[in-house]
């Protein structure tokens, strides 16, 4: 990489600040909630033109229950065996249609931020992707790795339909850059993510009249109170393992000993060993109230994105790109999961390369324009990294 290239990239992006911000605003104005699949096509079509103008072959693949996904690859590399890198993101947001009326997209020039539903998670990251590629094209920089793009439309609802495609493209790629927003207002890169699971625990007892013959019943609610205490005792916050009983429902009437009670339990794990341990602990829970028994289902269904050798190699290389731009990049662990958890099982993955801001899924959602420009330059340099920087460690 020429020594003056980082400055050339920075200068080019800074000169196109107005264009970048206006593109972001128009993209954010196109509402695209996960649960309204028909809203995804306008976003995908909006992105098709700039990608095709950059020489990408763009495919809009329909979904069965979702809005499908956009896949793009350089036209002159289709069908070749050249190594690939994947830029991964999603077009769906958590905001229902019509949110933009009460939460309009605003460029606040005094605070140098852009506000709006989905601007942080993750229309900003998509914008960075487009303009990083535009910068490289304008500067006639050709990446060693073929750049491919996947934008799915069901990330916010678990990526159930798109997961097989994510796995396929990850297997075909030497590395993946996930354009999820940065971690915290300081803009940490997400070098690890916790895995996520959900268990449903049902206590089955027996009903009885609470006034006439309570001794003939076995209270599922009483037993559930003991189960909840056992579950919360399994928390290991200092080790990055978290358990939360999120919802509880049971009983029929106040004067009836409850025959059933159910709880939904959220689990967060930092490594695969914790995943195995917590699964065993939950499935081995014992009842204390005579006449009750447990029915347990679910499990950890999104593996953690761990700090393995290949992810660390990629992280260090991107840190070097940051240094060349005058940025001190710091890594951190996200408590939530993303599609990066999936790709990390197959290839080197770095997450949180998207926008710097705050308010994901919240009314004050915004991104910092300075961060938007800096992270666009960072992504451009990361795309140019050579193929041989990743070791073979797991």
């Amino acid at each position: 990489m020429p020594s003056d290239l980082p400055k050339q990239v920075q200068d080019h992006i800074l000169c196109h600040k107005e264009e970048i911000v206006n593109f972001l605003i128009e993209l954010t104005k196109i509402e695209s909630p996960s649960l309204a699949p028909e809203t995804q096509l306008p976003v995908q079509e909006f992105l098709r033109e700039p990608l095709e103008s950059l020489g990408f072959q763009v495919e809009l693949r329909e979904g069965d229950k979702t809005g499908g996904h956009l896949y793009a690859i350089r036209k002159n590399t289709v069908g070749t065996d050249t190594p690939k890198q994947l830029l991964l993101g999603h077009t769906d947001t958590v905001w229902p249609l019509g949110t933009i009326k009460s939460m309009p997209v605003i460029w606040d020039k005094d605070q140098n931020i852009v506000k709006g539903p989905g601007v942080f998670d993750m229309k900003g990251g998509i914008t960075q992707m487009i303009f990083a590629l535009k910068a490289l094209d304008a500067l006639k920089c050709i990446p060693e790795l073929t750049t491919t793009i996947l934008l799915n439309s069901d990330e916010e609802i678990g990526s159930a339909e798109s997961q097989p495609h994510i796995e396929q493209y990850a297997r075909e790629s030497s590395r993946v850059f996930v354009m999820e927003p940065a971690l915290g207002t300081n803009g940490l890169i997400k070098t690890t993510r916790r895995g996520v699971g959900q268990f449903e625990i049902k206590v089955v007892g027996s009903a009885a009249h609470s006034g006439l013959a309570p001794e003939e019943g076995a209270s599922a609610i009483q037993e559930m109170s003991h189960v909840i205490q056992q579950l919360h005792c399994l928390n290991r916050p200092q080790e990055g393992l978290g358990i939360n009983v999120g919802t509880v429902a049971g009983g029929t009437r106040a004067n009836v000993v409850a025959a059933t009670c159910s709880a939904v339990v959220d689990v967060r794990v930092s490594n695969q060993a914790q995943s195995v341990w917590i699964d065993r602990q939950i499935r081995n829970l014992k009842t204390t109230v005579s006449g009750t028994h447990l029915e347990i289902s679910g499990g950890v269904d999104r593996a953690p994105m761990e700090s393995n050798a290949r992810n660390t190699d990629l992280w260090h290389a991107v840190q070097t790109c940051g240094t060349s731009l005058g940025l001190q990049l710091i890594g951190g662990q996200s408590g939530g999961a993303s599609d990066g958890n999936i790709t990390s099982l197959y290839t080197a993955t770095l997450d949180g390369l998207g926008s710097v801001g705050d308010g994901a899924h919240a009314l004050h959602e915004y991104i910092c324009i300075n961060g938007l420009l800096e992270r666009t330059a960072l992504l451009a340099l990361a795309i140019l990294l050579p193929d041989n920087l990743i070791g073979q460690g797991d």
Side-chain angles (χ1 to χ4, degrees), residues 177-228:
F177 295 122
V178 185
M179 300 310 299
E180 289 286 339
L183 183 62
T185 54
N186 291 327
L188 275 62
I189 301 292
K190 295 171 181 175
T191 53
T192 60
R193 279 184 178 271
R194 289 200 285 179
V196 180
Q198 191 174 98
F199 291 82
E200 181 171 348
I201 299 176
K202 182 178 181 181
V203 180
V204 179
S206 56
H209 194 292
S210 63
L212 298 178
E215 69 283 354
E216 295 179 5
S219 175
I221 290 177
Q222 181 185 358
E223 176 55 43
M224 182 61 80
S225 70
H226 297 302
V227 169
I228 290 171

Side-chain angles (χ1 to χ4, degrees), residues 194-197 240-244 266-270 274 278 335-337:
R194 289 200 285 179
V196 180
L241 187 151
I243 301 162
N244 180 63
D266 178 85
V267 171
R268 307 282 163 150
V269 295
S270 294
Q274 288 181 354
I278 195 61

Side-chain angles (χ1 to χ4, degrees), residues 200-204 224 260-263 293-297:
E200 181 171 348
I201 299 176
K202 182 178 181 181
V203 180
V204 179
M224 182 61 80
T260 61
C261 186
S262 297
H293 69 272
L294 302 179
E295 296 177 358
I296 299 171
S297 59

